[in-house]
Amino acid sequence: MPYARITGTGGYLPPRIVSNDDLAADLATRGVETSDAWIMERTGIRQRHIAEPGTKTSTLATAAARAALDSAGLQASDIDLIIVATSTPDFIFPSTACLVQANLGVGGAAAFDVQAVCSGFVYAMTIADALIRAGSARHALVIGAEVFSNILDWNDRRTCVLFGDGAGAMVLSASDKPGILAARLNADGRQQHILHAAGNVVGGQVTGDPFLRMDGQAVFKLAVNSLTRSAHEVCEEAGVAVSDLDWMVPHQANIRILNFISRKLGLPEDKLIVTLDRHANTSAASVPLAFDVAWRDGRLQPGQLVLLQGVGGGFTWGSVLVRL
Ligand code: UT7
């Protein structure tokens, strides 16, 4: 049975950068009070990229996909599986993955979306790994892409300062050499109320509340506990120790969450790839974007052992352990 290896990565961020000061000034015009000091101290976020109104998730996803194909040295026609993880799809249907496929000018390969919010990318990677190992795909394009600014309530300072827009992508290819060593996905639907966007379309009208709502402290605690446990589980499954990890690429939500996890795991903080200061929380895009940054700047090197982790609404979480 072949393994799935990472053979290329790519990322795309919309050009408009909004600093905490910019955002605070903008929110002040709505009577919403926040500050760079609060956002930095509580989250570690300095800025975020925000897409221009009307920007489609498929546009960001396609740009990241093209960069990943380039880095893998492949053509779109080589791809036989496209999975997009997103909570902000262009349409109810067709899937964003089908739109990306059309943008790439190809057809025929399987294409579908995965909805696991900020865990979406590790879910999508795990599905691609299973299909490659089963022999159903040779080269998979796995993408996390979001225009999260579309579902933010800009009058709710507890949430709108935390998120940004962007897309990250990876090519996973079949190989005889081990790549993905183990993966673990989890969910607890009973915790759905702590992080949700509960709007719906009925009779052509949006009903319910379409904006993201979050109980920040409940999410914080669950994120720390579930990701710590998940890291131990996936390492145990692969027969490696947490201390063997060269890098961890965690979901980029809050620096304090990452600090807690690294302390609980006994993993030095400088082994964590952190981009949340520049990207903020880009939901399903955060893990592949962070991975792409570290791949391109040379921190990630062949042979290294890397743990990718996602956590978010559902409540969902998961880990993928990879040998590069
Ligand atoms: O992708 C996964 C999704 N999300 C996460 O992982 C987020 C997890 N949670 C968190 O990151 C943190 O809980 C937050 C950053 C959301 C909040 O930090 P916190 O330290 O838990 O703050 P808090 O909610 O306890 O709020 C403290 C105070 C409150 O004021 P009072 O009641 O003490 O007077 C808030 O009203 O901070 C206030 N506050 C703000 N002040 C200025 C909340 N948001 C803001 C803001 N600017 N943007």
Side-chain angles (χ1 to χ4, degrees):
M1 196 191 277
Y3 291 97
R5 285 181 73 81
I6 298 170
T7 51
T9 78
Y12 180 79
L13 291 156
R16 185 155 67 103
I17 294 174
V18 179
S19 70
N20 289 345
D21 282 331
D22 295 338
L23 185 58
D26 186 49
L27 295 183
T29 65
R30 302 163 177 264
V32 177
E33 198 187 321
T34 190
S35 65
D36 174 55
W38 190 94
I39 301 170
M40 271 303 287
E41 187 193 318
R42 301 289 176 130
T43 72
I45 294 166
R46 256 190 305 123
Q47 61 174 49
R48 73 283 297 136
H49 291 246
I50 299 289
E52 294 304 326
T55 303
K56 303 282 192 202
T57 294
S58 62
T59 305
L60 308 188
T62 304
R66 287 204 169 103
L69 285 171
D70 275 356
S71 116
L74 293 174
Q75 306 294 319
S77 54
D78 296 322
I79 296 296
D80 43 22
L81 172 66
I82 302 175
I83 309 179
V84 175
T86 186
S87 301
T88 48
D90 291 20
F91 304 128
I92 297 169
F93 67 80
S95 69
T96 307
C98 284
L99 302 174
V100 170
Q101 187 181 42
N103 290 345
L104 293 175
V106 289
F112 59 91
D113 287 2
V114 163
Q115 159 58 292
V117 202
C118 305
S119 310
F121 190 80
V122 293
Y123 267 66
M125 246 186 126
T126 305
I127 296 165
D129 175 50
L131 289 170
I132 288 172
R133 288 168 71 92
S136 305
R138 262 199 78 68
H139 296 294
L141 196 46
V142 185
I143 306 167
E146 305 279 12
V147 182
F148 237 56
S149 54
N150 280 335
I151 58 165
L152 298 177
D153 176 356
W154 295 99
N155 293 307
D156 178 7
R157 69 178 183 175
R158 291 167 304 164
T159 54
C160 72
V161 304
L162 305 174
F163 296 92
D165 301 329
M170 269 182 199
V171 176
L172 295 182
S173 302
S175 167
D176 293 337
K177 266 178 64 184
I180 294 178
L181 302 178
R184 191 148 192 122
L185 304 179
N186 299 92
D188 184 350
R190 296 166 300 182
Q191 302 297 332
Q192 59 186 277
H193 55 281
I194 65 172
L195 178 52
H196 62 166
N200 190 10
V201 175
V202 177
Q205 304 290 322
V206 174
T207 64
D209 178 358
F211 292 124
L212 178 151
R213 305 292 176 201
M214 179 170 69
D215 175 346
Q217 291 190 358
V219 171
F220 194 111
K221 279 185 211 139
L222 219 48
V224 170
N225 292 332
S226 57
L227 291 183
T228 306
R229 197 168 56 246
S230 181
H232 283 299
E233 287 169 353
V234 81
C235 285
E236 195 179 314
E237 192 179 323
V240 302
V242 169
S243 57
D244 294 334
L245 293 174
D246 293 297
W247 295 103
M248 180 163 160
V249 186
H251 173 51
Q252 308 285 317
N254 186 322
I255 195 67
R256 292 187 294 135
I257 293 179
L258 303 191
N259 292 343
F260 266 108
I261 292 172
S262 82
R263 233 172 292 145
K264 284 185 138 207
L265 290 176
L267 196 67
E269 282 174 18
D270 59 7
K271 289 196 170 190
L272 269 59
I273 305 294
V274 177
T275 51
L276 64 87
D277 53 331
R278 287 158 286 158
H279 301 171
N281 181 346
T282 56
S283 188
S286 95
V287 170
L289 267 171
F291 190 96
D292 183 58
V293 165
W295 175 283
R296 283 170 196 273
D297 70 22
R299 276 177 289 175
L300 298 179
Q301 289 292 327
Q304 289 180 336
L305 189 63
V306 184
L307 178 66
L308 291 80
Q309 289 202 304
V311 61
F315 199 76
T316 55
W317 66 99
S319 298
V320 178
L321 185 68
V322 184
R323 179 71 69 189
L324 295 183

